[in-house]
Amino acid sequence: MAKKILDNKAFIIDMLKSTKREGIEDLIAYMEDCGFFEAPCSTRYHLACEFGLVQHTRNVMETAEKIGVALYGGKGYNEIQNSVIIVAILHDLGKMGQFEKPMYVENRLKSGELGSQPYKSNPDLLKVPHEVRSIAIASMFIDLTEEEQFAILYHNGLYGDFKYEIQGNETPLYLILHFADMWAARVIEEKKEA
């Protein structure tokens, strides 16, 4: 288990560094300091467990590459690869939390036992959609293109807070991220844990 966790972390860091985006090293250090690599991915659905976020991120990254290559071919995909890496890895960045507060905390009952839903949203963190947090955090360290911001903001499609704004405004980068995220959450992670 520990090797898999370290492999996921190394994979994410290597992919981010491969973009050679200015400020990426500082962003990676911030992700480490803020618990990105240990955080759960959700309160009760896909990968609601320690290290779930990094596993989900890897699943999305690998799926996005497959989709991108299948739709664009190798040469075409190479032209958008850095943007795919950025959005696939940073789309759920806000799920680690912000302002030195995790987004998810253990769901302890009054008895001290864990509830049937292992995590809950942190009541000490203002309710801001994680997509907005993701863009805000990433933008502190790296420049995101307009299309990258768009893909991250709308990546949850009809499942997110911005479902009505995306209709008719889909972009190729958004669609790659959305399909990869849904495939990872609904197919790859349906019965697996980190």
Side-chain angles (χ1 to χ4, degrees):
M1 177 66 126
K3 182 179 180 338
K4 183 177 181 182
I5 292 163
L6 291 175
D7 287 349
N8 288 338
K9 180 179 178 179
F11 174 84
I12 296 303
I13 290 172
D14 288 347
M15 293 301 290
L16 284 172
K17 286 181 178 180
S18 76
T19 67
K20 297 181 176 23
R21 190 77 57 106
E22 187 175 336
I24 206 74
E25 296 280 350
D26 292 333
L27 175 58
I28 292 166
Y30 186 81
M31 291 166 68
E32 290 182 300
D33 290 346
C34 293
F36 176 88
F37 297 101
E38 296 80 29
C41 192
S42 68
T43 58
R44 66 176 174 232
Y45 299 113
H46 64 105
L47 297 175
C49 57
E50 188 175 23
F51 309 108
L53 183 55
V54 70
Q55 179 65 58
H56 172 69
T57 301
R58 182 175 187 158
N59 292 342
V60 172
M61 180 65 243
E62 290 175 340
T63 304
E65 284 213 311
K66 290 174 186 171
I67 292 169
V69 169
L71 296 178
Y72 279 98
K75 185 178 179 189
Y77 178 72
N78 287 342
E79 294 173 14
I80 64 165
Q81 184 176 21
N82 282 346
S83 284
V84 171
I85 291 169
I86 291 295
V87 301
I89 293 179
L90 303 180
H91 79 284
D92 279 347
L93 183 63
K95 287 187 175 184
M96 71 180 177
Q98 196 177 18
F99 306 109
E100 299 180 16
K101 300 172 198 172
M103 179 146 171
Y104 301 126
V105 294
E106 285 188 331
N107 184 25
R108 293 271 173 200
L109 305 174
K110 289 181 183 179
S111 67
E113 298 288 319
L114 269 179
S116 59
Q117 177 178 314
Y119 294 93
K120 64 181 180 178
S121 294
N122 187 346
D124 295 331
L125 190 62
L126 292 175
K127 185 169 173 28
V128 172
H130 76 274
E131 301 93 338
V132 173
R133 276 192 203 288
S134 298
I135 292 168
I137 294 167
S139 295
M140 292 180 350
F141 301 97
I142 64 171
D143 289 332
L144 296 171
T145 67
E146 180 181 16
E147 191 171 357
E148 290 166 353
Q149 288 183 26
F150 184 89
I152 292 170
L153 183 61
Y154 295 113
H155 77 267
N156 280 317
L158 296 177
Y159 296 95
D161 292 325
F162 308 108
K163 58 185 156 237
Y164 298 112
E165 288 85 1
I166 191 63
Q167 295 173 4
N169 296 305
E170 297 87 350
T171 66
L173 186 62
Y174 155 77
L175 289 169
I176 290 171
L177 176 59
H178 177 66
F179 293 151
D181 186 39
M182 290 295 104
W183 188 265
R186 302 287 193 253
V187 178
I188 297 170
E189 298 159 10
E190 182 65 26
K191 294 180 181 153
K192 295 182 181 178
E193 295 183 17

